């Protein structure tokens, strides 16, 4: 069974950078996209970024600031977050999905890592 483990979250100030990582264990087909969603209490889950064989995809709110990369050999995906804003504060969830921006019941999820950006 596939497990996803996130790391790299923390508390930073506005304008700072963080790098998140997510490592997949178990049998995960390389055809899956790997990426990130985020969620804050009281707000709906938001797509952040994903990457697959076809390329990289970003949510509008992070485009130009975040960059995603993937190491297929290590089954690991990274999210470089630059120019962080307080609005980026959320729990960031790693996901392995069948599509680049959407989720289904066939997807896999990590337990999340907290990112807090102070002003």
């Amino acid at each position: 069974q596939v497990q996803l483990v996130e790391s790299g979250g923390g508390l930073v100030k506005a304008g700072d950078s963080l790098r998140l990582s997510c490592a997949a264990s178990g049998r995960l087909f390389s055809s899956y996209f790997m990426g990130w969603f985020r969620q804050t209490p009281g707000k709906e889950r938001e797509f952040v970024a994903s990457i697959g064989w076809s390329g990289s995809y970003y949510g509008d709110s992070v485009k130009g600031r975040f960059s995603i990369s993937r190491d297929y050999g290590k089954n690991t995906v990274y999210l470089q977050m630059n120019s962080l804003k307080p609005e980026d504060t959320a729990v960031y969830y790693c996901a392995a999905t069948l599509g680049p921006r959407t989720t289904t019941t066939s997807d896999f999820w990590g337990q999340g890592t907290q990112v807090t950006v102070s002003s």
Side-chain angles (χ1 to χ4, degrees):
Q1 193 159 339
V2 175
Q3 283 191 325
L4 303 176
V5 180
E6 305 102 326
S7 62
L11 173 63
V12 298
K13 289 186 174 294
D16 286 352
S17 297
L18 278 176
R19 185 175 178 87
L20 306 183
S21 64
C22 171
S25 62
R27 186 174 175 84
L28 178 65
F29 288 100
S30 61
S31 57
Y32 271 73
F33 292 81
M34 291 187 68
W36 301 86
F37 293 78
R38 66 188 184 186
Q39 189 160 34
T40 300
K43 298 173 62 178
E44 64 185 16
R45 186 174 61 194
E46 179 185 17
F47 169 73
V48 178
S50 69
I51 186 169
W53 297 110
S54 58
S56 302
Y57 305 83
Y58 297 94
D60 291 339
S61 64
V62 306
K63 189 173 184 295
R65 298 188 298 120
F66 292 8
S67 180
I68 193 168
S69 61
R70 182 172 180 174
D71 186 331
Y72 284 91
K74 295 181 179 179
N75 257 356
T76 300
V77 65
Y78 306 92
L79 184 68
Q80 179 66 45
M81 304 186 295
N82 298 322
S83 301
L84 283 163
K85 305 175 181 179
E87 305 93 270
D88 296 317
T89 296
V91 177
Y92 284 70
Y93 294 93
C94 180
T97 60
L98 293 176
R101 300 179 185 271
T102 59
T103 62
T104 73
T105 55
S106 298
D107 300 336
F108 302 96
W109 293 88
Q111 291 185 333
T113 184
Q114 177 71 47
V115 173
T116 303
V117 184
S118 66
S119 59

